[in-house]
Amino acid sequence: MSDPKPTPSPAPRPWGTKRILSLALAGGLLAGAFGVYVMETRSGNETVAACPAATGLASALDAAARGEVAAMRPLETPFDVSGLAFKDGEGRDTSLGAMKGQSLLVNLWATWCAPCRAEMPALDELEREAGDESFAVVPINVDMGDDAKPRGFYAETGLTSLPYFRDETMAVFNDLKRQGVALGLPVTLLVDGEGCARAAMNGPAEWASPDGLRLIDALKGGGA
């Protein structure tokens, strides 16, 4: 999505997983220590194709899913997510298929989801540290209504590296729910360069931690 970025000086990381979970609990919004559960609406696409197995990548992701990102699990049945559609920061229609060639961390979030809000600075740092022509963080906001709140959250929180994507219909969430990978918010997918979802997790994580960076290195390596 962008040219390789120089590695910035290390910055404090105040949002460890324990901190994220404690904030969510304090707000009374954490469900089963995984995230905020949401009800399915009627929007969404219906056809999702299966992807070929990638045993090497699955093994690499499983081995790297430790510590702060231990909840990430390879999918037993990987599936094509290139058709998942949403809008870019200019309000134009786009999809994950437009990003083929890059490995992706796709994160669905909402401003009313406390764990989502808490992990966004770490996702911003991950994009700043690891984002390049081979990898990108794709945060998709699913607030319904206008986008004043999510845009305001970006400004208030100082998110400068994350791109802005939006799906006010919740179609992307509903598609992932039908595939059995989305229980609530936040939900995160690891997607290979061919547009296949290879691993998923529900709940927040410290994505810019050494554990998170090792997981992304495994994704970018493709199991080689």
Side-chain angles (χ1 to χ4, degrees), residues 32-52:
F34 288 111
V36 178
Y37 286 74
V38 298
M39 297 298 293
E40 182 177 359
T41 64
R42 294 185 180 181
S43 57
N45 301 314
E46 298 298 332
T47 303
V48 179
C51 286

Side-chain angles (χ1 to χ4, degrees), residues 34 69 71-73 75 79 104-109 115-116 119-120 123 126 135-140 173 176 181-191 197-207 215-216 219:
F34 288 111
V69 294
M72 183 64 71
R73 290 289 178 267
L75 296 173
F79 59 97
L104 306 173
L105 184 154
V106 181
N107 179 273
L108 273 58
W109 71 284
C116 302
E119 75 173 349
M120 289 292 279
L123 287 169
L126 177 63
F135 171 75
V137 178
V138 183
I140 304 174
F173 176 85
L176 297 181
V181 299
L183 302 177
L185 296 177
V187 57
T188 303
L189 296 181
L190 297 183
V191 179
R198 295 295 177 181
M201 68 175 287
N202 285 264
E206 174 48 77
W207 292 109
L215 182 64
I216 297 309
L219 175 66

Side-chain angles (χ1 to χ4, degrees), residues 6 26 94 127 218:
T94 188
E127 172 63 21

Side-chain angles (χ1 to χ4, degrees), residues 75-160:
L75 296 173
E76 292 184 5
T77 306
F79 59 97
D80 187 354
V81 291
S82 59
L84 293 182
F86 43 92
K87 294 178 181 178
D88 66 15
E90 302 300 320
R92 298 171 299 204
D93 292 336
T94 188
S95 70
L96 292 181
M99 305 172 194
K100 274 193 175 181
Q102 286 184 299
S103 298
L104 306 173
L105 184 154
V106 181
N107 179 273
L108 273 58
W109 71 284
T111 59
W112 42 261
C113 163
C116 302
R117 294 171 66 94
E119 75 173 349
M120 289 292 279
L123 287 169
D124 190 62
E125 186 177 348
L126 177 63
E127 172 63 21
R128 186 163 54 250
E129 291 192 13
D132 56 24
E133 74 283 351
S134 67
F135 171 75
V137 178
V138 183
I140 304 174
N141 174 261
V142 295
D143 279 49
M144 302 181 80
D146 64 39
D147 65 352
K149 286 185 178 180
R151 284 192 178 278
F153 178 75
Y154 264 60
E156 294 161 10
T157 312
L159 305 179
T160 58

